[in-house]
Amino acid sequence: MIDTVAHKELVKERIGFLFDQKLLDEILSVGRIKQLPPDSIIMDPGEDIHFIPFVLEGSIKVSRENRDGEELLLYYIESGDTCAMTLQCCVRQSRSEIKATTLDDTTLLMIPIQYMEQWMNEHQSWRQYILESYHNRMIELIETIDAIAFMRLDERLDKYLKDQAKLLGTLEIHHTHQQIADDLHSSRVVISRLLKQMELKGMIEIKRNKIILSSI
DNA sequence: ACATTAAGTGATT
DNA sequence: AATCACTTAATGT
């Protein structure tokens, strides 16, 4: 149950326009608000899923992980959106296939999964929203596949930095070279060298734990 | 001052 | 483009 006025307002502001009043009331009565600091793990592969998270504020990074703990960034989820992977998992009563981490300070709306199916049948606005969300995720996934298959690593790195900057609304990226390498599934040495080249071209400025873009 | 962690570099595959 | 082995630089205790 969402009881504070501020939280109710936040939900209405971010996702309220998507649904009819009746559904919105239900969301407000069964949902929970969860606030998380940056780099919190929301979901890990193999975990049981009990809630569907909707991003109200902040953003989430969704990545695939192999059994050695190596990662590959799949896509980001921004305000007003949800994770199709999670939806699919809960319908099939399966476990998480992916890892989800917060990118910055994030506020989530958590909906217990038992309402999913019911709302799919009862509310066309819900059905539409879920399908739309699937679609968006699919497009982003294809974009990521394209990048992996067709772009050189230096182009991918450039895109990565710009995406990150857009998402967080700042030109300063607070990541180590190692973290970037993990996201792109490359190695730290390679990333360091590519960044060095970008710095020589005047595209970025390298500081410890920080990269400053000169433009988006 | 010392240890730890991030970043830089040359050589090799 | 990845990995190794090593150096240098920055930061915390």
Side-chain angles (χ1 to χ4, degrees), chain A residues 145-168:
Chain A
I145 292 174
D146 276 348
I148 297 168
F150 305 124
M151 285 167 79
R152 294 199 313 276
L153 190 55
D154 57 344
E155 294 173 306
R156 275 216 284 155
L157 177 59
D158 186 50
K159 176 169 160 23
Y160 172 87
L161 293 173
K162 283 171 180 162
D163 283 349
Q164 197 83 19
K166 274 182 225 153
L167 208 57
L168 300 178

Side-chain angles (χ1 to χ4, degrees), chain A residues 8-207:
Chain A
K8 279 186 185 174
E9 284 308 312
L10 184 64
V11 172
K12 280 183 197 165
E13 185 197 325
R14 296 304 159 105
I15 60 169
F17 61 93
L18 294 164
F19 311 116
D20 52 86
Q21 190 59 48
K22 191 161 154 269
L23 178 53
L24 195 54
D25 288 342
E26 284 194 65
I27 290 173
L28 290 172
S29 75
V30 304
R32 296 275 186 290
I33 295 290
K34 199 169 181 181
Q35 313 228 31
L36 294 165
D39 298 313
S40 331
I41 296 173
I42 301 170
M43 243 179 302
D44 239 350
E47 260 180 44
D48 280 317
I49 296 163
H50 303 288
F51 295 90
I52 309 293
F54 294 83
V55 180
L56 298 179
E57 287 177 309
S59 45
I60 296 177
K61 176 181 100 177
V62 175
S63 55
R64 195 85 239 267
E65 204 175 42
N66 71 9
R67 72 170 83 68
D68 297 332
E70 291 168 25
E71 292 182 34
L72 173 67
L73 189 152
L74 296 179
Y75 50 76
Y76 300 106
I77 303 171
E78 291 178 79
S79 171
D81 236 322
T82 187
C83 175
M85 281 302 202
T86 321
L87 295 167
Q88 189 241 6
C89 285
C90 80
V91 171
R92 297 181 50 238
Q93 300 280 313
S94 59
R95 294 170 188 221
S96 176
E97 302 277 342
I98 48 94
K99 179 177 175 180
T101 7
T102 54
L103 220 55
D104 45 6
D105 282 304
T106 300
T107 311
L108 299 176
L109 166 66
M110 310 290 278
I111 305 284
I113 60 169
Q114 64 259 33
Y115 297 98
M116 299 301 299
E117 214 164 328
Q118 187 187 331
W119 289 353
M120 280 293 264
N121 294 327
E122 290 172 6
H123 301 277
Q124 66 93 25
S125 60
W126 181 259
R127 205 160 47 234
Q128 195 174 322
Y129 169 72
I130 298 299
L131 289 175
E132 176 108 9
S133 177
Y134 262 112
H135 183 239
N136 289 338
R137 239 31 79 217
M138 192 66 75
I139 289 184
E140 280 165 50
L141 212 49
I142 287 173
E143 210 179 286
T144 310
I145 292 174
D146 276 348
I148 297 168
F150 305 124
M151 285 167 79
R152 294 199 313 276
L153 190 55
D154 57 344
E155 294 173 306
R156 275 216 284 155
L157 177 59
D158 186 50
K159 176 169 160 23
Y160 172 87
L161 293 173
K162 283 171 180 162
D163 283 349
Q164 197 83 19
K166 274 182 225 153
L167 208 57
L168 300 178
T170 165
L171 289 173
E172 293 193 2
I173 315 276
H174 293 259
H175 279 145
T176 64
H177 299 180
Q178 184 63 60
Q179 288 173 301
I180 298 173
D182 289 343
D183 279 346
L184 298 178
H185 200 255
S186 175
S187 66
R188 200 271 308 162
V189 199
V190 172
I191 296 299
S192 288
R193 286 183 171 138
L194 290 175
L195 285 171
K196 191 89 232 164
Q197 300 220 328
M198 291 175 77
E199 190 180 38
L200 291 175
K201 286 183 199 158
M203 299 160 74
I204 57 170
E205 200 182 326
I206 300 171
K207 298 277 162 92

